[in-house]
Amino acid sequence: MPPRFSAAARNSAATETTRTHRERDPVVVVGAGPYGLATAAWLSAAGVPLRIFGEPMEGWHTYMPEGMFLKSVPSASSISAPEPGYGFADFRAAHGREPVGDLYPIPVEEFIDYGRWFQKRRVPEVERSMVRGVRAVDGGFGVTLDSGEEFLAAAVVVSTGLVPFAHEPPELRGLAAAGLTSHTCEHRNLTRFAGQQVAVLGAGQSALESAALLHEAGARPTVVARAPAVRFGERPQADLPGTRPRATRLRKPASTLGPGWSLWAVSRGPAAYRHLPTPVRMRVLHSVLGPSGAWWLRDRVAGRVPVLSGRTLVSAAPEDGKVRLELADPGGGRELLRADHLLMATGYRVEVDRLDLLEPTLRQAVRTFGGAPRLSAGFESSVPGLYFTGLAAAPCFGPVLRFVCGTGFAARQVAGAVAARNR
């Protein structure tokens, strides 16, 4: 007669079996952009079995316009690795290019090449398949690829970049189907708008650089900005931050996000940022590094592209194959602007519900605030083993997670938390 076990013993045995089974399953990183690559590099160094999926730097190659430059300076544009030799400067040196400082705007094409160089040298295990579905299964996750392969994962790190969170103002919904509006992330090449009148909605880097590229491509852009005036950053006083005058360094200390005490604080303290009250965090996220263009954009926009500042979009409607915008001016008056197309440079808003690769019940299990996931110090969500990094983590850890320079903090934290969980 087989031995009889108590319910507690049976549950304990089942838990141990599940735990052992989970330990044999890999950790999955979804996305092979800067944050996904950095996370995989740090997980690998920690000895964590992993699989990483995605086309390296696909988001940058597919959704960033040709001719774009990075807003971040070279010294703040390296993808993090646990050992030296993989920075942007190392990439340039490996290709026989001279060193560059903060006065060098990085062309997006060069940064894409750098990211792919990083991947080949540091994360060669990237699999080009795409993750189509993630569901909760028996204390872990079931993962489905576009190839049809299905397997179990011990943990999942979501690093899907910006595109899933592209924001469309509610006033504009319905116009995209008619081809009258689009988001900036939808265009690799803006030359298709040559000869057209294009309204560009926004006042940040994306809006101003898109306007410059449109103008240079032969289009007739007009920037429509809610801000009272468009702003541009200050030209760095020196090519290297350490060579600035001492008085200037004390007044505006250098940081990976730029000079200034507020930028220094948010770049140095993402771990502390998480403990701020939610309203404060969200206010800082949108006010520090608010809408503005890089210093090198000023000459390409000022005096070349009309700017309607202080305008609020009241409504938008199709009219004779064009889009008619009704705007409210600072004095409360109304004006109309007609354009062949409206380009939305309206940024990105993190909403877990928009991540279709997560099965609906899994999305619903993630605790959120304002649509963004609530994350632990190790970037883990309320679903054990489900992590979010990159822009999705910015509402918890601050503006530094919107830039490449945040890969160091994020990847170290995620790798440490996952390694500890797997012990």
Side-chain angles (χ1 to χ4, degrees), residues 152-218:
L152 296 175
V156 172
V157 182
V158 179
S159 180
T160 50
L162 305 176
V163 177
F165 306 124
H167 175 59
E168 179 184 17
E171 300 89 345
L172 301 176
R173 287 173 187 159
L175 293 176
L180 295 174
T181 65
S182 58
H183 196 276
T184 51
C185 70
E186 298 177 50
H187 300 286
R188 175 66 177 155
N189 191 318
L190 292 170
T191 58
R192 57 163 284 195
F193 294 110
Q196 296 186 34
Q197 178 74 42
V198 181
V200 181
L201 187 62
Q205 174 75 8
S206 179
L208 298 174
E209 188 167 20
S210 293
L213 291 170
L214 285 165
H215 171 75
E216 292 157 8

Short mmCIF file of all heavy atoms in Angstrom, two decimals, residues 152-218:
data_model
loop_
_atom_site.label_atom_id
_atom_site.label_comp_id
_atom_site.label_asym_id
_atom_site.label_seq_id
_atom_site.Cartn_x
_atom_site.Cartn_y
_atom_site.Cartn_z
N LEU A 152 8.45 27.57 -21.49
CA LEU A 152 8.25 28.16 -20.17
C LEU A 152 9.44 29.04 -19.79
O LEU A 152 10.59 28.74 -20.14
CB LEU A 152 8.06 27.06 -19.13
CG LEU A 152 6.82 26.18 -19.30
CD1 LEU A 152 6.82 25.06 -18.27
CD2 LEU A 152 5.55 27.02 -19.17
N ALA A 153 9.15 30.11 -19.09
CA ALA A 153 10.19 31.04 -18.62
C ALA A 153 10.04 31.24 -17.12
O ALA A 153 8.92 31.27 -16.59
CB ALA A 153 10.07 32.38 -19.34
N ALA A 154 11.17 31.36 -16.43
CA ALA A 154 11.15 31.60 -15.00
C ALA A 154 10.77 33.04 -14.69
O ALA A 154 10.13 33.33 -13.67
CB ALA A 154 12.51 31.29 -14.40
N ALA A 155 11.16 33.96 -15.58
CA ALA A 155 10.86 35.38 -15.40
C ALA A 155 10.87 36.03 -16.78
O ALA A 155 11.47 35.51 -17.73
CB ALA A 155 11.88 36.04 -14.47
N VAL A 156 10.25 37.18 -16.88
CA VAL A 156 10.18 37.93 -18.14
C VAL A 156 10.51 39.39 -17.86
O VAL A 156 9.97 39.99 -16.94
CB VAL A 156 8.79 37.82 -18.79
CG1 VAL A 156 8.68 38.76 -20.00
CG2 VAL A 156 8.49 36.38 -19.20
N VAL A 157 11.43 39.94 -18.67
CA VAL A 157 11.77 41.36 -18.59
C VAL A 157 11.23 42.03 -19.85
O VAL A 157 11.66 41.71 -20.96
CB VAL A 157 13.29 41.57 -18.49
CG1 VAL A 157 13.61 43.06 -18.36
CG2 VAL A 157 13.88 40.80 -17.32
N VAL A 158 10.29 42.94 -19.68
CA VAL A 158 9.68 43.64 -20.81
C VAL A 158 10.49 44.89 -21.12
O VAL A 158 10.58 45.81 -20.30
CB VAL A 158 8.21 44.01 -20.50
CG1 VAL A 158 7.59 44.76 -21.68
CG2 VAL A 158 7.41 42.75 -20.18
N SER A 159 11.07 44.91 -22.32
CA SER A 159 11.87 46.05 -22.76
C SER A 159 11.49 46.39 -24.19
O SER A 159 12.28 46.25 -25.12
CB SER A 159 13.37 45.71 -22.66
OG SER A 159 14.16 46.80 -23.08
N THR A 160 10.25 46.80 -24.36
CA THR A 160 9.69 46.98 -25.69
C THR A 160 9.84 48.39 -26.25
O THR A 160 9.31 48.68 -27.33
CB THR A 160 8.20 46.60 -25.68
OG1 THR A 160 7.55 47.27 -24.59
CG2 THR A 160 8.02 45.11 -25.50
N GLY A 161 10.51 49.29 -25.54
CA GLY A 161 10.77 50.61 -26.08
C GLY A 161 9.59 51.56 -26.05
O GLY A 161 8.64 51.40 -25.28
N LEU A 162 9.64 52.54 -26.95
CA LEU A 162 8.68 53.65 -26.93
C LEU A 162 7.39 53.38 -27.68
O LEU A 162 6.31 53.78 -27.25
CB LEU A 162 9.33 54.89 -27.57
CG LEU A 162 10.66 55.40 -27.02
CD1 LEU A 162 11.14 56.56 -27.88
CD2 LEU A 162 10.53 55.83 -25.58
N VAL A 163 7.51 52.72 -28.81
CA VAL A 163 6.41 52.69 -29.79
C VAL A 163 5.07 52.23 -29.22
O VAL A 163 4.03 52.83 -29.55
CB VAL A 163 6.81 51.85 -31.01
CG1 VAL A 163 5.66 51.73 -32.01
CG2 VAL A 163 8.02 52.49 -31.70
N PRO A 164 5.01 51.19 -28.37
CA PRO A 164 3.69 50.80 -27.86
C PRO A 164 2.98 51.89 -27.10
O PRO A 164 1.75 51.83 -26.90
CB PRO A 164 4.02 49.61 -26.94
CG PRO A 164 5.33 49.09 -27.42
CD PRO A 164 6.07 50.31 -27.88
N PHE A 165 3.73 52.91 -26.65
CA PHE A 165 3.14 53.94 -25.81
C PHE A 165 2.95 55.28 -26.53
O PHE A 165 2.74 56.31 -25.89
CB PHE A 165 4.02 54.15 -24.57
CG PHE A 165 4.28 52.89 -23.80
CD1 PHE A 165 5.58 52.47 -23.54
CD2 PHE A 165 3.24 52.10 -23.34
CE1 PHE A 165 5.83 51.31 -22.82
CE2 PHE A 165 3.47 50.94 -22.64
CZ PHE A 165 4.77 50.54 -22.37
N ALA A 166 3.03 55.28 -27.86
CA ALA A 166 2.83 56.52 -28.62
C ALA A 166 1.48 57.13 -28.27
O ALA A 166 0.45 56.47 -28.33
CB ALA A 166 2.94 56.24 -30.11
N HIS A 167 1.50 58.42 -27.91
CA HIS A 167 0.28 59.08 -27.43
C HIS A 167 -0.44 59.81 -28.55
O HIS A 167 0.16 60.58 -29.30
CB HIS A 167 0.63 60.08 -26.33
CG HIS A 167 -0.53 60.89 -25.86
ND1 HIS A 167 -1.68 60.34 -25.31
CD2 HIS A 167 -0.75 62.25 -25.87
CE1 HIS A 167 -2.53 61.29 -25.00
NE2 HIS A 167 -2.00 62.45 -25.33
N GLU A 168 -1.75 59.57 -28.63
CA GLU A 168 -2.61 60.26 -29.58
C GLU A 168 -3.67 61.04 -28.80
O GLU A 168 -4.48 60.45 -28.09
CB GLU A 168 -3.30 59.26 -30.52
CG GLU A 168 -4.24 59.92 -31.52
CD GLU A 168 -4.99 58.89 -32.36
OE1 GLU A 168 -5.03 57.70 -31.97
OE2 GLU A 168 -5.55 59.28 -33.39
N PRO A 169 -3.66 62.37 -28.89
CA PRO A 169 -4.67 63.15 -28.17
C PRO A 169 -6.08 62.72 -28.57
O PRO A 169 -6.33 62.43 -29.75
CB PRO A 169 -4.39 64.59 -28.61
CG PRO A 169 -2.94 64.58 -29.02
CD PRO A 169 -2.71 63.23 -29.61
N PRO A 170 -6.99 62.67 -27.62
CA PRO A 170 -8.35 62.21 -27.93
C PRO A 170 -9.04 63.02 -29.01
O PRO A 170 -9.88 62.51 -29.74
CB PRO A 170 -9.08 62.31 -26.59
CG PRO A 170 -8.20 63.08 -25.68
CD PRO A 170 -6.81 62.96 -26.20
N GLU A 171 -8.68 64.31 -29.14
CA GLU A 171 -9.32 65.16 -30.15
C GLU A 171 -9.01 64.70 -31.58
O GLU A 171 -9.70 65.08 -32.53
CB GLU A 171 -8.85 66.62 -30.01
CG GLU A 171 -9.17 67.26 -28.68
CD GLU A 171 -8.06 67.05 -27.65
OE1 GLU A 171 -7.20 66.16 -27.88
OE2 GLU A 171 -8.07 67.75 -26.64
N LEU A 172 -7.95 63.87 -31.72
CA LEU A 172 -7.51 63.49 -33.06
C LEU A 172 -7.89 62.07 -33.44
O LEU A 172 -7.59 61.63 -34.56
CB LEU A 172 -5.98 63.65 -33.15
CG LEU A 172 -5.46 65.06 -32.87
CD1 LEU A 172 -3.94 65.08 -32.89
CD2 LEU A 172 -6.02 66.04 -33.90
N ARG A 173 -8.52 61.37 -32.53
CA ARG A 173 -8.86 59.98 -32.83
C ARG A 173 -9.86 59.90 -33.98
O ARG A 173 -10.82 60.65 -34.03
CB ARG A 173 -9.43 59.31 -31.58
CG ARG A 173 -8.34 59.04 -30.55
CD ARG A 173 -8.86 58.53 -29.24
NE ARG A 173 -7.77 58.47 -28.26
CZ ARG A 173 -7.94 58.45 -26.96
NH1 ARG A 173 -9.17 58.48 -26.46
NH2 ARG A 173 -6.91 58.39 -26.15
N GLY A 174 -9.59 59.01 -34.87
CA GLY A 174 -10.46 58.83 -36.03
C GLY A 174 -9.90 59.43 -37.30
O GLY A 174 -10.29 59.04 -38.40
N LEU A 175 -8.96 60.37 -37.17
CA LEU A 175 -8.40 61.01 -38.36
C LEU A 175 -7.28 60.19 -38.99
O LEU A 175 -6.99 60.33 -40.17
CB LEU A 175 -7.89 62.41 -38.03
CG LEU A 175 -8.95 63.45 -37.66
CD1 LEU A 175 -8.28 64.76 -37.26
CD2 LEU A 175 -9.90 63.67 -38.82
N ALA A 176 -6.64 59.34 -38.19
CA ALA A 176 -5.54 58.54 -38.71
C ALA A 176 -6.02 57.60 -39.81
O ALA A 176 -5.31 57.36 -40.80
CB ALA A 176 -4.87 57.74 -37.59
N ALA A 177 -7.23 57.04 -39.65
CA ALA A 177 -7.76 56.11 -40.65
C ALA A 177 -7.91 56.78 -42.01
O ALA A 177 -7.81 56.13 -43.05
CB ALA A 177 -9.10 55.56 -40.18
N ALA A 178 -8.12 58.09 -42.00
CA ALA A 178 -8.26 58.83 -43.26
C ALA A 178 -6.90 59.29 -43.80
O ALA A 178 -6.84 59.95 -44.85
CB ALA A 178 -9.16 60.04 -43.03
N GLY A 179 -5.82 58.94 -43.09
CA GLY A 179 -4.48 59.31 -43.54
C GLY A 179 -4.13 60.75 -43.30
O GLY A 179 -3.15 61.27 -43.86
N LEU A 180 -4.90 61.42 -42.44
CA LEU A 180 -4.69 62.85 -42.21
C LEU A 180 -3.77 63.13 -41.02
O LEU A 180 -3.27 64.25 -40.88
CB LEU A 180 -6.03 63.56 -42.00
CG LEU A 180 -6.97 63.57 -43.20
CD1 LEU A 180 -8.32 64.16 -42.84
CD2 LEU A 180 -6.33 64.34 -44.36
N THR A 181 -3.62 62.16 -40.13
CA THR A 181 -2.74 62.34 -38.99
C THR A 181 -1.85 61.11 -38.83
O THR A 181 -2.19 60.02 -39.28
CB THR A 181 -3.52 62.52 -37.67
OG1 THR A 181 -4.24 61.31 -37.39
CG2 THR A 181 -4.49 63.68 -37.75
N SER A 182 -0.72 61.31 -38.20
CA SER A 182 0.18 60.21 -37.86
C SER A 182 1.09 60.67 -36.73
O SER A 182 1.25 61.87 -36.49
CB SER A 182 1.01 59.77 -39.07
OG SER A 182 1.77 60.85 -39.58
N HIS A 183 1.68 59.71 -36.04
CA HIS A 183 2.63 60.02 -34.97
C HIS A 183 4.04 60.05 -35.56
O HIS A 183 4.33 59.37 -36.54
CB HIS A 183 2.53 58.96 -33.87
CG HIS A 183 3.15 59.36 -32.58
ND1 HIS A 183 4.51 59.22 -32.32
CD2 HIS A 183 2.61 59.91 -31.44
CE1 HIS A 183 4.77 59.65 -31.10
NE2 HIS A 183 3.63 60.08 -30.55
N THR A 184 4.91 60.82 -34.94
CA THR A 184 6.28 60.92 -35.45
C THR A 184 6.97 59.56 -35.53
O THR A 184 7.82 59.35 -36.39
CB THR A 184 7.13 61.86 -34.57
OG1 THR A 184 6.99 61.48 -33.19
CG2 THR A 184 6.69 63.31 -34.73
N CYS A 185 6.60 58.63 -34.64
CA CYS A 185 7.27 57.32 -34.64
C CYS A 185 6.87 56.47 -35.84
O CYS A 185 7.43 55.39 -36.05
CB CYS A 185 6.98 56.56 -33.35
SG CYS A 185 5.27 55.98 -33.19
N GLU A 186 5.93 56.94 -36.65
CA GLU A 186 5.48 56.16 -37.80
C GLU A 186 6.28 56.44 -39.06
O GLU A 186 6.02 55.85 -40.12
CB GLU A 186 4.00 56.43 -38.07
CG GLU A 186 3.07 56.03 -36.93
CD GLU A 186 1.62 56.38 -37.22
OE1 GLU A 186 1.14 56.03 -38.32
OE2 GLU A 186 0.98 57.02 -36.35
N HIS A 187 7.25 57.35 -38.99
CA HIS A 187 7.93 57.77 -40.22
C HIS A 187 9.44 57.59 -40.12
O HIS A 187 10.10 58.21 -39.29
CB HIS A 187 7.62 59.25 -40.51
CG HIS A 187 6.16 59.51 -40.69
ND1 HIS A 187 5.47 59.14 -41.82
CD2 HIS A 187 5.25 60.09 -39.86
CE1 HIS A 187 4.20 59.48 -41.68
NE2 HIS A 187 4.04 60.05 -40.50
N ARG A 188 9.95 56.74 -40.97
CA ARG A 188 11.40 56.60 -41.12
C ARG A 188 11.95 57.67 -42.05
O ARG A 188 13.08 58.11 -41.90
CB ARG A 188 11.71 55.19 -41.66
CG ARG A 188 13.16 54.92 -41.98
CD ARG A 188 14.02 54.94 -40.74
NE ARG A 188 15.41 54.59 -41.06
CZ ARG A 188 16.45 54.95 -40.34
NH1 ARG A 188 16.27 55.68 -39.25
NH2 ARG A 188 17.66 54.59 -40.67
N ASN A 189 11.12 58.09 -43.01
CA ASN A 189 11.57 59.06 -44.00
C ASN A 189 10.47 60.11 -44.19
O ASN A 189 9.34 59.79 -44.54
CB ASN A 189 11.86 58.34 -45.33
CG ASN A 189 12.58 59.24 -46.32
OD1 ASN A 189 12.25 60.40 -46.46
ND2 ASN A 189 13.56 58.67 -47.02
N LEU A 190 10.81 61.38 -43.98
CA LEU A 190 9.83 62.46 -44.05
C LEU A 190 9.77 63.11 -45.42
O LEU A 190 9.00 64.05 -45.63
CB LEU A 190 10.13 63.51 -42.99
CG LEU A 190 9.91 63.04 -41.53
CD1 LEU A 190 10.47 64.06 -40.55
CD2 LEU A 190 8.44 62.80 -41.25
N THR A 191 10.56 62.63 -46.37
CA THR A 191 10.55 63.24 -47.70
C THR A 191 9.21 63.02 -48.42
O THR A 191 8.91 63.72 -49.39
CB THR A 191 11.68 62.67 -48.57
OG1 THR A 191 11.54 61.24 -48.68
CG2 THR A 191 13.04 62.99 -47.96
N ARG A 192 8.40 62.09 -47.95
CA ARG A 192 7.08 61.84 -48.58
C ARG A 192 6.18 63.06 -48.47
O ARG A 192 5.20 63.18 -49.21
CB ARG A 192 6.40 60.63 -47.93
CG ARG A 192 6.20 60.76 -46.42
CD ARG A 192 5.19 59.79 -45.89
NE ARG A 192 3.83 60.21 -46.21
CZ ARG A 192 2.74 59.71 -45.63
NH1 ARG A 192 2.85 58.77 -44.71
NH2 ARG A 192 1.54 60.13 -45.96
N PHE A 193 6.51 64.00 -47.55
CA PHE A 193 5.67 65.18 -47.35
C PHE A 193 6.16 66.39 -48.16
O PHE A 193 5.65 67.50 -47.97
CB PHE A 193 5.61 65.55 -45.87
CG PHE A 193 4.92 64.52 -45.02
CD1 PHE A 193 5.64 63.74 -44.12
CD2 PHE A 193 3.55 64.33 -45.13
CE1 PHE A 193 5.01 62.79 -43.34
CE2 PHE A 193 2.91 63.37 -44.35
CZ PHE A 193 3.64 62.60 -43.45
N ALA A 194 7.13 66.18 -49.04
CA ALA A 194 7.65 67.29 -49.85
C ALA A 194 6.52 68.00 -50.58
O ALA A 194 5.66 67.35 -51.19
CB ALA A 194 8.69 66.78 -50.83
N GLY A 195 6.50 69.33 -50.49
CA GLY A 195 5.49 70.12 -51.17
C GLY A 195 4.19 70.26 -50.41
O GLY A 195 3.30 71.00 -50.85
N GLN A 196 4.05 69.59 -49.27
CA GLN A 196 2.80 69.63 -48.51
C GLN A 196 2.88 70.57 -47.32
O GLN A 196 3.97 70.83 -46.78
CB GLN A 196 2.44 68.22 -48.00
CG GLN A 196 2.15 67.21 -49.10
CD GLN A 196 1.65 65.89 -48.53
OE1 GLN A 196 0.95 65.87 -47.52
NE2 GLN A 196 2.02 64.80 -49.16
N GLN A 197 1.72 71.08 -46.94
CA GLN A 197 1.60 71.86 -45.72
C GLN A 197 1.38 70.88 -44.57
O GLN A 197 0.41 70.11 -44.58
CB GLN A 197 0.41 72.82 -45.81
CG GLN A 197 0.16 73.65 -44.57
CD GLN A 197 1.17 74.76 -44.39
OE1 GLN A 197 1.53 75.43 -45.38
NE2 GLN A 197 1.64 74.96 -43.18
N VAL A 198 2.28 70.88 -43.60
CA VAL A 198 2.21 69.93 -42.49
C VAL A 198 2.18 70.69 -41.16
O VAL A 198 3.07 71.51 -40.89
CB VAL A 198 3.41 68.96 -42.49
CG1 VAL A 198 3.29 67.97 -41.34
CG2 VAL A 198 3.51 68.23 -43.82
N ALA A 199 1.16 70.44 -40.37
CA ALA A 199 1.11 70.99 -39.01
C ALA A 199 1.80 69.99 -38.08
O ALA A 199 1.51 68.78 -38.14
CB ALA A 199 -0.33 71.20 -38.58
N VAL A 200 2.70 70.48 -37.26
CA VAL A 200 3.43 69.62 -36.32
C VAL A 200 2.99 69.99 -34.92
O VAL A 200 3.20 71.12 -34.47
CB VAL A 200 4.96 69.80 -36.46
CG1 VAL A 200 5.69 68.86 -35.50
CG2 VAL A 200 5.40 69.53 -37.90
N LEU A 201 2.36 69.05 -34.24
CA LEU A 201 1.78 69.34 -32.92
C LEU A 201 2.77 68.93 -31.82
O LEU A 201 3.07 67.76 -31.65
CB LEU A 201 0.47 68.57 -32.76
CG LEU A 201 -0.35 68.86 -31.52
CD1 LEU A 201 -0.81 70.31 -31.49
CD2 LEU A 201 -1.57 67.93 -31.46
N GLY A 202 3.27 69.92 -31.08
CA GLY A 202 4.21 69.64 -29.99
C GLY A 202 5.27 70.72 -29.91
O GLY A 202 5.41 71.56 -30.81
N ALA A 203 6.04 70.69 -28.80
CA ALA A 203 7.07 71.71 -28.60
C ALA A 203 8.39 71.10 -28.16
O ALA A 203 9.31 71.83 -27.80
CB ALA A 203 6.61 72.73 -27.55
N GLY A 204 8.49 69.77 -28.17
CA GLY A 204 9.71 69.11 -27.71
C GLY A 204 10.68 68.82 -28.84
O GLY A 204 10.52 69.28 -29.98
N GLN A 205 11.70 68.03 -28.51
CA GLN A 205 12.73 67.68 -29.47
C GLN A 205 12.15 67.02 -30.72
O GLN A 205 12.52 67.36 -31.84
CB GLN A 205 13.75 66.74 -28.81
CG GLN A 205 14.81 66.18 -29.75
CD GLN A 205 15.87 67.19 -30.12
OE1 GLN A 205 15.90 68.30 -29.57
NE2 GLN A 205 16.75 66.82 -31.03
N SER A 206 11.22 66.09 -30.52
CA SER A 206 10.65 65.38 -31.66
C SER A 206 9.92 66.34 -32.59
O SER A 206 10.04 66.25 -33.82
CB SER A 206 9.69 64.29 -31.17
OG SER A 206 9.10 63.61 -32.24
N ALA A 207 9.14 67.26 -32.02
CA ALA A 207 8.39 68.22 -32.84
C ALA A 207 9.33 69.14 -33.59
O ALA A 207 9.18 69.34 -34.81
CB ALA A 207 7.45 69.03 -31.95
N LEU A 208 10.31 69.71 -32.90
CA LEU A 208 11.18 70.69 -33.53
C LEU A 208 12.12 70.06 -34.54
O LEU A 208 12.37 70.63 -35.61
CB LEU A 208 11.97 71.43 -32.44
CG LEU A 208 11.09 72.23 -31.46
CD1 LEU A 208 11.94 72.80 -30.33
CD2 LEU A 208 10.33 73.33 -32.18
N GLU A 209 12.62 68.87 -34.24
CA GLU A 209 13.51 68.22 -35.21
C GLU A 209 12.72 67.72 -36.42
O GLU A 209 13.19 67.81 -37.55
CB GLU A 209 14.26 67.07 -34.56
CG GLU A 209 15.34 66.50 -35.48
CD GLU A 209 16.31 65.58 -34.77
OE1 GLU A 209 15.97 65.08 -33.69
OE2 GLU A 209 17.40 65.35 -35.31
N SER A 210 11.50 67.23 -36.19
CA SER A 210 10.66 66.82 -37.31
C SER A 210 10.35 68.02 -38.21
O SER A 210 10.36 67.90 -39.44
CB SER A 210 9.36 66.18 -36.81
OG SER A 210 9.61 64.96 -36.15
N ALA A 211 10.07 69.16 -37.59
CA ALA A 211 9.80 70.37 -38.37
C ALA A 211 11.02 70.75 -39.21
O ALA A 211 10.89 71.13 -40.38
CB ALA A 211 9.40 71.50 -37.45
N ALA A 212 12.21 70.66 -38.61
CA ALA A 212 13.43 70.98 -39.35
C ALA A 212 13.62 70.02 -40.52
O ALA A 212 13.94 70.43 -41.64
CB ALA A 212 14.63 70.93 -38.41
N LEU A 213 13.42 68.72 -40.27
CA LEU A 213 13.59 67.72 -41.33
C LEU A 213 12.55 67.91 -42.44
O LEU A 213 12.86 67.74 -43.63
CB LEU A 213 13.50 66.31 -40.74
CG LEU A 213 14.66 65.90 -39.84
CD1 LEU A 213 14.34 64.60 -39.12
CD2 LEU A 213 15.94 65.74 -40.67
N LEU A 214 11.33 68.25 -42.06
CA LEU A 214 10.29 68.51 -43.05
C LEU A 214 10.66 69.70 -43.92
O LEU A 214 10.54 69.66 -45.16
CB LEU A 214 8.95 68.76 -42.35
CG LEU A 214 8.24 67.53 -41.78
CD1 LEU A 214 7.15 67.96 -40.81
CD2 LEU A 214 7.64 66.69 -42.91
N HIS A 215 11.10 70.78 -43.29
CA HIS A 215 11.51 71.97 -44.03
C HIS A 215 12.64 71.65 -44.99
O HIS A 215 12.62 72.06 -46.17
CB HIS A 215 11.94 73.06 -43.04
CG HIS A 215 12.57 74.25 -43.69
ND1 HIS A 215 11.83 75.21 -44.36
CD2 HIS A 215 13.87 74.64 -43.77
CE1 HIS A 215 12.65 76.14 -44.83
NE2 HIS A 215 13.89 75.82 -44.49
N GLU A 216 13.61 70.89 -44.52
CA GLU A 216 14.77 70.54 -45.35
C GLU A 216 14.41 69.55 -46.46
O GLU A 216 15.13 69.41 -47.44
CB GLU A 216 15.87 69.99 -44.45
CG GLU A 216 16.46 71.05 -43.54
CD GLU A 216 17.14 70.50 -42.29
OE1 GLU A 216 17.28 69.27 -42.19
OE2 GLU A 216 17.54 71.32 -41.41
N ALA A 217 13.25 68.86 -46.31
CA ALA A 217 12.79 67.92 -47.33
C ALA A 217 11.86 68.59 -48.34
O ALA A 217 11.34 67.91 -49.24
CB ALA A 217 12.08 66.74 -46.67
N GLY A 218 11.62 69.88 -48.18
CA GLY A 218 10.78 70.59 -49.14
C GLY A 218 9.33 70.71 -48.75
O GLY A 218 8.50 71.14 -49.56
#
